[in-house]
Amino acid sequence: MKRKGVGFSLPVAVVMMVIGFVYFSTVFTFIDRWFSLTSSPGIANAAAFTALALMCVYSYSIAVFRDPGRVPPSYMPDVEDQESPVHEIKRKGGDLRYCQKCSHFKPPRAHHCRVCKRCVLRMDHHCIWINNCVGHTNYKVFFVFVVYAVTACVYSLVLLVGSLTVESQDEDEEMGSYLRTIYVLSAFVLISLSIALGVLLVWHIYLSLQNKTTIEYHEGVRAMWLAEKGGQVYKHPYDIGPYENLTLILGPNVLSWLCPTSRHIGSGLRFRTAFDSVPVSSESKP
């Protein structure tokens, strides 16, 4: 996979600092106070949370640095291709999708990002928190990161609440004030992140089950309204069934769904549709 250029990003730096704060407060405050890091339960919880944090950092890093998908300069839509019954067109004029800013045709599901200043394959949205677009090649790792992040936040909240049930007689007034600050700040951060990331996760699960991007969802709302107005029924062309949709996005092997790998995604120039009579074998190739 190609990697995009590296540059400083304040939102990315903030995310990494938050991950670091949550990790150290969870391991060295919550787990240590509840179980003690020298006990078997303490070591087990510290190891489990460390593994979860490492997966968060790893999947987040891939989402940040991996290029979301570029349109090949030589791309040209084949309107006579009998195996590709869906050719997306502009809303007006009926012409094949052409990007005036990039000066090339756009494949199905590709969109121009005004921030990145180029077309992105299967673009979902531009995310300031990864300083990158979420597109064809990094959508899965973005999704996996959100899953790990939500799990880590809920896990940390459980450990925070559990550690509050432990009373220590050895803490002086200064240490007690320090701990109160850590608990109040951690509770605020963890509750806020759990709610925000939880909503984001539910949203992308909903999109994945229908094989839609965020852009396609909003375009589909208007298309559905226009279809109903004309007495027709609108169906998203890339929706081939909940399980099949998930396998196209997360991979054919269920055991690898939470692994930040994307070898199954194909070229991003063509996708299976509800109109295909047989699966497109080329989309299973890297």
Side-chain angles (χ1 to χ4, degrees):
M1 295 294 180
K2 294 182 179 180
R3 299 185 182 278
K4 72 184 192 72
V6 180
F8 175 78
S9 170
L10 180 59
V12 172
V14 170
V15 171
M16 294 305 297
M17 287 190 292
V18 169
I19 292 176
F21 171 76
V22 170
Y23 175 77
F24 283 103
S25 61
T26 300
V27 174
F28 297 104
T29 301
F30 310 152
I31 295 178
D32 191 31
R33 275 176 56 82
W34 192 2
F35 302 107
S36 174
L37 287 176
T38 57
S39 67
S40 295
I43 293 174
N45 278 279
F49 194 80
T50 298
L52 192 57
L54 288 175
M55 290 305 298
C56 279
V57 173
Y58 180 61
S59 56
Y60 179 73
S61 299
I62 296 176
V64 170
F65 293 112
R66 177 171 292 174
D67 192 295
R70 295 176 179 270
V71 179
S74 60
Y75 172 76
M76 180 68 66
D78 185 0
V79 294
E80 297 182 354
D81 183 6
Q82 298 299 321
E83 296 183 357
S84 182
V86 176
H87 296 284
E88 296 181 2
I89 61 175
K90 295 180 179 180
R91 294 181 179 178
K92 296 180 181 180
D95 298 326
L96 289 169
R97 302 169 73 241
Y98 186 84
C99 182
Q100 299 291 343
K101 296 179 180 179
C102 296
S103 299
H104 61 56
F105 285 100
K106 291 192 289 186
R109 314 185 82 176
H111 294 274
H112 187 88
C113 176
R114 288 176 292 182
V115 180
C116 296
K117 297 180 180 180
R118 63 183 176 86
C119 288
V120 176
L121 296 175
R122 196 187 179 276
M123 179 178 173
D124 187 90
H125 68 288
H126 184 90
C127 179
I128 63 169
W129 297 109
I130 65 172
N131 191 36
N132 196 8
C133 272
V134 178
H136 177 62
T137 65
N138 67 347
Y139 181 82
K140 180 190 173 180
V141 292
F142 173 81
F143 182 91
V144 168
F145 163 69
V146 176
V147 172
Y148 283 125
V150 171
T151 305
C153 287
V154 174
Y155 189 5
S156 183
L157 270 175
V158 172
L159 293 171
L160 183 154
V161 174
S163 65
L164 288 175
T165 63
V166 178
E167 295 184 4
S168 177
Q169 305 296 329
D170 301 329
E171 295 170 356
D172 54 27
E173 184 176 344
E174 183 177 350
M175 178 59 71
S177 177
Y178 166 77
L179 287 175
R180 280 194 296 273
T181 301
I182 293 295
Y183 275 98
V184 171
L185 186 57
S186 296
F188 173 76
V189 170
L190 289 171
I191 292 174
S192 300
L193 286 177
S194 296
I195 294 174
L197 291 174
V199 171
L200 183 64
L201 178 59
V202 171
W203 170 245
H204 280 283
I205 290 175
Y206 166 77
L207 291 177
S208 297
L209 289 172
Q210 299 190 47
N211 198 5
K212 291 181 180 179
T213 64
T214 300
I215 294 175
E216 288 170 347
Y217 169 81
H218 292 293
E219 290 181 343
V221 170
R222 184 175 185 276
M224 186 178 299
W225 177 77
L226 291 174
E228 292 178 352
K229 189 176 180 180
Q232 300 175 337
V233 178
Y234 171 79
K235 178 177 174 56
H236 182 56
Y238 301 104
D239 184 0
I240 58 176
Y243 180 76
E244 287 76 11
N245 292 337
L246 286 177
T247 59
L248 288 177
I249 295 171
L250 300 178
N253 186 354
V254 177
L255 298 178
S256 66
W257 279 8
L258 293 181
C259 297
T261 57
S262 303
R263 297 180 180 179
H264 63 283
I265 59 174
S267 65
L269 301 178
R270 182 173 183 265
F271 300 87
R272 283 182 57 188
T273 72
F275 307 105
D276 290 330
S277 57
V278 293
V280 181
S281 58
S282 62
E283 286 306 294
S284 62
K285 299 179 181 179

